[in-house]
Amino acid sequence: MQSSAHTADGAAPVPRLAAHFASLEVQTHAARLGMWLFLATEILLFAGLFVCYGCYRFLYPEAWAAGSRSLDLTMGTVNTVVLITSSLTAALAVHYAKEGKNKMVGIMFALTLVMAIGFLVIKYFEYSHKFHIGTLPGRYYTYEGMQMPGITLYFTVYFCSTALHALHVLIGMGVLTVAMIRAFTKADFGPNNFTMVELGSMYWHLVDLVWIFLFPMLYLV
């Protein structure tokens, strides 16, 4: 994510070329490649949870079905719509960055952040209900309404996967906040300098993609 410099005549900003790169094109390509490699490691991280999910669901199908029915499908659906919509605004931020419309970049990221906060608020209410009735992971499970083999494993997978996803939401919000501030205060982005916006948006799309897998796995089984 390069910093930028404005030309003397007020033209669109261009990224600063780091000394170890031969050209701006090579620098931009390296940034994109690095981000794709990072996203690949993030996918591997969640893939481990998906494998655990598949194994335990095969071993305890009744517990998995009961655990899924206990979740609030309405909240999960609303969160899915919110997160998918936030990916749209993040993509629009890239579009406006390429056109040098920094104010619109800031607005699109602000809307993305508002929806991210909404997602976390809904998740907070979901968590609060589960803490209240005792559908917690492992040995902390105290709910008397569902007592069957494997039910504690379902909620262990649920909390591990959704909490890890929520952590990624918070990290993404931090990245988008920095980009939003730069767009509003420095007008940093233009047709020759939109890499930070693009990479931040790519990370946010990963957050959205992971949830698209988690929602049917946890709520619709």
Side-chain angles (χ1 to χ4, degrees):
M1 298 184 183
Q2 306 101 325
S3 59
S4 64
H6 292 262
T7 58
D9 57 359
V14 295
R16 292 188 177 91
L17 179 63
H20 52 287
F21 289 110
S23 66
L24 289 175
E25 290 75 15
V26 173
Q27 179 173 274
T28 300
H29 176 73
R32 289 190 182 124
L33 178 61
M35 186 52 138
W36 279 114
L37 291 174
F38 172 70
L39 295 181
T41 64
E42 292 286 82
I43 291 172
L44 288 174
L45 173 63
F46 281 98
L49 285 172
F50 295 160
V51 170
C52 290
Y53 170 93
C55 292
Y56 287 131
R57 182 185 175 189
F58 176 78
L59 293 173
Y60 305 103
E62 293 182 1
W64 242 243
S68 177
R69 288 194 297 269
S70 73
L71 301 183
D72 193 316
L73 181 59
T74 301
M75 285 189 175
T77 302
V78 171
N79 256 352
T80 302
V81 173
V82 167
L83 210 54
I84 290 175
T85 306
S86 73
S87 264
L88 171 62
T89 54
L92 287 173
V94 179
H95 169 74
Y96 287 121
K98 291 178 179 179
E99 295 185 346
K101 298 178 180 178
N102 281 269
K103 182 177 179 181
M104 290 303 300
V105 172
I107 290 173
M108 289 300 106
F109 275 156
L111 291 174
T112 304
L113 291 169
V114 168
M115 285 182 274
I117 292 171
F119 176 90
L120 293 176
V121 168
I122 293 172
K123 184 55 64 179
Y124 165 79
F125 284 113
E126 278 195 89
Y127 274 16
S128 295
H129 176 68
K130 289 171 179 56
F131 274 85
H132 177 70
I133 65 176
T135 50
L136 300 173
R139 62 189 179 90
Y140 301 103
Y141 185 89
T142 58
Y143 184 54
E144 298 294 335
M146 286 185 293
Q147 293 292 334
M148 60 187 71
I151 192 64
T152 58
L153 289 173
Y154 173 84
F155 286 102
T156 298
V157 172
Y158 168 82
F159 275 100
C160 285
S161 56
T162 56
L164 183 61
H165 177 263
L167 175 61
H168 282 71
V169 171
L170 290 171
I171 294 171
M173 289 174 67
V175 173
L176 298 189
T177 298
V178 173
M180 180 188 68
I181 293 172
R182 286 179 59 175
F184 277 136
T185 61
K186 297 183 178 180
D188 259 352
F189 308 116
N192 299 314
N193 184 49
F194 57 88
T195 305
M196 180 180 187
V197 176
E198 183 181 33
L199 300 190
S201 181
M202 287 171 61
Y203 184 86
W204 194 254
H205 293 325
L206 171 73
V207 172
D208 182 29
L209 179 64
V210 170
W211 181 256
I212 288 174
F213 279 93
L214 288 178
F215 174 65
M217 288 170 56
L218 296 173
Y219 291 80
L220 302 179
V221 294

